[in-house]
Amino acid sequence: MQKIEEKLNSFKKQVNKEQLQKDFTLALKDETFKILVDRLALDDDIAINYTSSLEDSAREYKNCLKCKNLLSCKNKVEGYVYFPKKNNQKLEFIYKACKYKEKLDKKTKHLKNVNLMFATKDLLLASMDEIIKTDKNRFATIKWLYDFKKNY
């Protein structure tokens, strides 16, 4: 009875390996996927085991190439790309912040030190660049703010 189970398990592994090989070969037709696999310099036997994760990574990378800002991000985790990292002959996948997310994080870094009750996000993210400068009645106040900022 045990020999039958061993042969059945061996057959299942062979069928799975063949299906993985087919999936990998099909995925290699995508130029981004192929570039990603080449850049990682993995043996095909190893890369085959990560086909679906590499496809996800290639898809998210393509989204980043077309992205114009953080609000139009189409990735699973907004502002991040699912990125493969080679560790010996294995792959680890991490979420790496895109350029727009890094820019936002840099801009809002100071907010970690601020604790305001009932303040809206718009108020916390307000900047001098957003002040409406077309109203002449605001000129004195705006000048005072710029002078204060310059001297501070």
Side-chain angles (χ1 to χ4, degrees):
M1 187 70 165
Q2 191 171 8
K3 287 186 177 183
I4 293 173
E5 280 184 35
E6 288 175 12
K7 289 196 181 240
L8 187 60
N9 286 336
S10 175
F11 177 72
K12 284 181 183 178
K13 286 180 184 176
Q14 182 64 29
V15 169
N16 285 341
K17 194 171 188 175
E18 289 172 7
Q19 185 61 46
L20 285 173
Q21 180 65 47
K22 285 179 186 177
D23 293 344
F24 183 73
T25 304
L26 184 65
L28 281 173
K29 292 180 181 178
D30 178 34
E31 191 62 30
T32 307
F33 181 87
K34 186 174 181 353
I35 291 169
L36 188 61
V37 171
D38 290 344
R39 193 175 293 164
L40 290 167
L42 284 174
D43 296 335
D44 284 354
D45 293 337
I46 295 168
I48 286 170
N49 296 321
Y50 296 98
T51 301
S52 61
S53 295
L54 287 168
E55 284 177 313
D56 290 342
S57 185
R59 187 178 315 109
E60 291 202 356
Y61 180 70
K62 280 187 211 175
N63 290 342
C64 284
L65 292 176
K66 298 175 187 174
C67 190
K68 292 184 173 58
N69 57 44
L70 199 54
L71 295 175
S72 64
C73 181
K74 294 181 180 179
N75 289 345
K76 288 180 184 177
V77 180
E78 186 178 285
Y80 293 88
V81 64
Y82 191 56
F83 193 77
K85 181 179 173 186
K86 187 176 175 182
N87 186 1
N88 295 326
Q89 283 297 313
K90 293 184 179 182
L91 285 181
E92 296 174 353
F93 289 84
I94 59 172
Y95 282 98
K96 187 175 177 184
C98 71
K99 62 183 177 184
Y100 300 112
K101 177 67 173 153
E102 287 176 350
K103 184 178 177 181
L104 177 66
D105 288 348
K106 186 177 178 184
K107 183 178 179 183
T108 60
K109 183 179 177 182
H110 68 281
L111 294 179
K112 292 179 182 177
N113 300 327
V114 176
N115 188 13
L116 297 175
M117 300 295 285
F118 310 111
T120 65
K121 190 173 182 178
D122 291 337
L123 180 61
L124 291 172
L125 296 175
S127 72
M128 296 290 281
D129 296 333
E130 297 170 3
I131 293 177
I132 298 171
K133 301 171 186 124
T134 56
D135 186 358
K136 292 180 181 181
N137 295 329
R138 296 173 172 230
F139 183 74
T141 305
I142 294 171
K143 184 177 180 338
W144 182 87
L145 283 171
Y146 276 104
D147 289 343
F148 177 80
K149 181 181 174 187
K150 183 174 138 185
N151 295 327
Y152 182 76

